[in-house]
Tab-separated table of all heavy atoms in Angstrom:
chain	number	residue	atom	x	y	z
A	1	ARG	N	-40.146	0.966	-1.195
A	1	ARG	CA	-38.825	0.366	-1.061
A	1	ARG	C	-37.966	1.229	-0.144
A	1	ARG	O	-37.982	2.443	-0.262
A	1	ARG	CB	-38.147	0.296	-2.412
A	1	ARG	CG	-38.719	-0.744	-3.321
A	1	ARG	CD	-37.852	-0.920	-4.520
A	1	ARG	NE	-37.886	-2.319	-4.878
A	1	ARG	CZ	-37.247	-2.839	-5.872
A	1	ARG	NH1	-36.466	-2.101	-6.620
A	1	ARG	NH2	-37.333	-4.108	-6.131
A	2	PRO	N	-37.183	0.578	0.707
A	2	PRO	CA	-36.259	1.351	1.542
A	2	PRO	C	-35.289	2.143	0.660
A	2	PRO	O	-34.874	1.676	-0.401
A	2	PRO	CB	-35.522	0.280	2.342
A	2	PRO	CG	-36.446	-0.895	2.347
A	2	PRO	CD	-37.165	-0.842	1.021
A	3	PRO	N	-34.911	3.347	1.090
A	3	PRO	CA	-34.058	4.188	0.250
A	3	PRO	C	-32.623	3.674	0.098
A	3	PRO	O	-31.954	4.003	-0.880
A	3	PRO	CB	-34.074	5.545	0.950
A	3	PRO	CG	-34.483	5.252	2.348
A	3	PRO	CD	-35.341	4.036	2.294
A	4	VAL	N	-32.154	2.882	1.052
A	4	VAL	CA	-30.783	2.368	0.986
A	4	VAL	C	-30.814	0.862	0.741
A	4	VAL	O	-31.511	0.130	1.436
A	4	VAL	CB	-29.994	2.676	2.279
A	4	VAL	CG1	-28.615	2.037	2.245
A	4	VAL	CG2	-29.884	4.182	2.479
A	5	LEU	N	-30.045	0.446	-0.254
A	5	LEU	CA	-29.911	-0.973	-0.572
A	5	LEU	C	-28.454	-1.371	-0.433
A	5	LEU	O	-27.567	-0.700	-0.963
A	5	LEU	CB	-30.377	-1.255	-2.001
A	5	LEU	CG	-30.146	-2.679	-2.510
A	5	LEU	CD1	-30.974	-3.682	-1.712
A	5	LEU	CD2	-30.460	-2.774	-3.994
A	34	GLY	N	-35.099	1.865	6.893
A	34	GLY	CA	-34.712	2.471	5.626
A	34	GLY	C	-33.606	1.742	4.892
A	34	GLY	O	-33.061	2.260	3.926
A	48	ALA	N	-29.840	-4.993	-11.439
A	48	ALA	CA	-30.173	-3.614	-11.782
A	48	ALA	C	-31.607	-3.272	-11.370
A	48	ALA	O	-31.882	-2.139	-10.970
A	48	ALA	CB	-29.978	-3.377	-13.275
A	49	LEU	N	-32.514	-4.219	-11.452
A	49	LEU	CA	-33.907	-3.953	-11.087
A	49	LEU	C	-34.072	-3.724	-9.591
A	49	LEU	O	-35.022	-3.061	-9.164
A	49	LEU	CB	-34.798	-5.102	-11.560
A	49	LEU	CG	-34.827	-5.307	-13.077
A	49	LEU	CD1	-35.676	-6.516	-13.427
A	49	LEU	CD2	-35.311	-4.051	-13.781
A	50	ASP	N	-33.158	-4.232	-8.780
A	50	ASP	CA	-33.207	-4.006	-7.334
A	50	ASP	C	-32.915	-2.549	-6.980
A	50	ASP	O	-33.217	-2.108	-5.873
A	50	ASP	CB	-32.208	-4.918	-6.607
A	50	ASP	CG	-32.573	-6.380	-6.718
A	50	ASP	OD1	-33.780	-6.702	-6.643
A	50	ASP	OD2	-31.660	-7.203	-6.882
A	51	LEU	N	-32.340	-1.790	-7.908
A	51	LEU	CA	-31.977	-0.398	-7.660
A	51	LEU	C	-33.137	0.577	-7.861
A	51	LEU	O	-33.062	1.728	-7.455
A	51	LEU	CB	-30.819	0.015	-8.570
A	51	LEU	CG	-29.418	-0.364	-8.122
A	51	LEU	CD1	-29.231	-1.847	-7.945
A	51	LEU	CD2	-28.408	0.164	-9.112
A	52	VAL	N	-34.221	0.107	-8.469
A	52	VAL	CA	-35.367	0.980	-8.756
A	52	VAL	C	-35.917	1.542	-7.447
A	52	VAL	O	-36.155	0.807	-6.484
A	52	VAL	CB	-36.463	0.215	-9.529
A	52	VAL	CG1	-37.724	1.064	-9.668
A	52	VAL	CG2	-35.950	-0.226	-10.882
A	53	GLY	N	-36.075	2.873	-7.414
A	53	GLY	CA	-36.654	3.535	-6.250
A	53	GLY	C	-35.694	3.761	-5.099
A	53	GLY	O	-36.116	4.178	-4.024
A	54	ARG	N	-34.411	3.528	-5.299
A	54	ARG	CA	-33.418	3.700	-4.221
A	54	ARG	C	-32.738	5.064	-4.322
A	54	ARG	O	-32.626	5.642	-5.393
A	54	ARG	CB	-32.336	2.624	-4.300
A	54	ARG	CG	-32.812	1.215	-4.430
A	54	ARG	CD	-33.651	0.755	-3.267
A	54	ARG	NE	-34.024	-0.642	-3.497
A	54	ARG	CZ	-34.363	-1.475	-2.560
A	54	ARG	NH1	-34.444	-1.075	-1.313
A	54	ARG	NH2	-34.680	-2.715	-2.859
A	55	GLU	N	-32.253	5.532	-3.187
A	55	GLU	CA	-31.451	6.757	-3.143
A	55	GLU	C	-29.958	6.448	-3.095
A	55	GLU	O	-29.150	7.224	-3.568
A	55	GLU	CB	-31.828	7.588	-1.923
A	55	GLU	CG	-33.246	8.102	-1.972
A	55	GLU	CD	-33.666	8.780	-0.682
A	55	GLU	OE1	-32.785	9.110	0.165
A	55	GLU	OE2	-34.878	8.982	-0.503
A	56	ARG	N	-29.633	5.308	-2.494
A	56	ARG	CA	-28.231	4.921	-2.336
A	56	ARG	C	-28.140	3.401	-2.399
A	56	ARG	O	-28.971	2.702	-1.837
A	56	ARG	CB	-27.717	5.406	-0.985
A	56	ARG	CG	-26.308	4.947	-0.652
A	56	ARG	CD	-25.865	5.437	0.709
A	56	ARG	NE	-25.376	6.805	0.556
A	56	ARG	CZ	-24.765	7.484	1.507
A	56	ARG	NH1	-24.573	6.946	2.686
A	56	ARG	NH2	-24.343	8.714	1.297
A	97	TYR	N	-28.836	-0.566	-15.222
A	97	TYR	CA	-29.957	0.197	-14.672
A	97	TYR	C	-30.274	1.392	-15.571
A	97	TYR	O	-31.433	1.634	-15.911
A	97	TYR	CB	-29.620	0.675	-13.258
A	97	TYR	CG	-30.661	1.584	-12.660
A	97	TYR	CD1	-31.736	1.062	-11.954
A	97	TYR	CD2	-30.584	2.963	-12.811
A	97	TYR	CE1	-32.713	1.894	-11.411
A	97	TYR	CE2	-31.548	3.796	-12.270
A	97	TYR	CZ	-32.601	3.263	-11.572
A	97	TYR	OH	-33.564	4.084	-11.041
A	101	THR	N	-33.866	1.478	-17.456
A	101	THR	CA	-34.868	2.420	-16.944
A	101	THR	C	-34.857	3.768	-17.658
A	101	THR	O	-35.831	4.511	-17.572
A	101	THR	CB	-34.654	2.685	-15.445
A	101	THR	OG1	-33.422	3.391	-15.253
A	101	THR	CG2	-34.680	1.385	-14.646
A	103	ASN	N	-33.066	6.139	-16.650
A	103	ASN	CA	-32.784	7.084	-15.571
A	103	ASN	C	-31.350	6.919	-15.074
A	103	ASN	O	-30.737	5.866	-15.268
A	103	ASN	CB	-33.734	6.859	-14.396
A	103	ASN	CG	-35.171	7.092	-14.778
A	103	ASN	OD1	-35.490	8.059	-15.455
A	103	ASN	ND2	-36.042	6.189	-14.351
A	104	GLU	N	-30.873	7.951	-14.394
A	104	GLU	CA	-29.564	7.844	-13.755
A	104	GLU	C	-29.685	6.920	-12.546
A	104	GLU	O	-30.683	6.965	-11.820
A	104	GLU	CB	-29.049	9.218	-13.333
A	104	GLU	CG	-28.560	10.048	-14.490
A	104	GLU	CD	-27.461	9.343	-15.284
A	104	GLU	OE1	-26.450	8.927	-14.691
A	104	GLU	OE2	-27.628	9.189	-16.516
A	105	PRO	N	-28.679	6.101	-12.299
A	105	PRO	CA	-28.722	5.210	-11.136
A	105	PRO	C	-28.593	5.995	-9.833
A	105	PRO	O	-28.145	7.148	-9.835
A	105	PRO	CB	-27.525	4.283	-11.340
A	105	PRO	CG	-26.640	4.972	-12.310
A	105	PRO	CD	-27.483	5.901	-13.111
A	106	PRO	N	-28.979	5.385	-8.737
A	106	PRO	CA	-28.837	6.052	-7.445
A	106	PRO	C	-27.354	6.229	-7.089
A	106	PRO	O	-26.479	5.621	-7.699
A	106	PRO	CB	-29.521	5.096	-6.469
A	106	PRO	CG	-29.484	3.763	-7.136
A	106	PRO	CD	-29.531	4.042	-8.610
Side-chain angles (χ1 to χ4, degrees):
R1 287 190 145 180
V4 175
L5 174 65
L49 298 177
D50 294 321
L51 278 59
V52 173
R54 311 299 181 157
E55 295 173 15
R56 174 181 277 188
Y97 174 88
T101 67
N103 298 316
E104 285 303 306

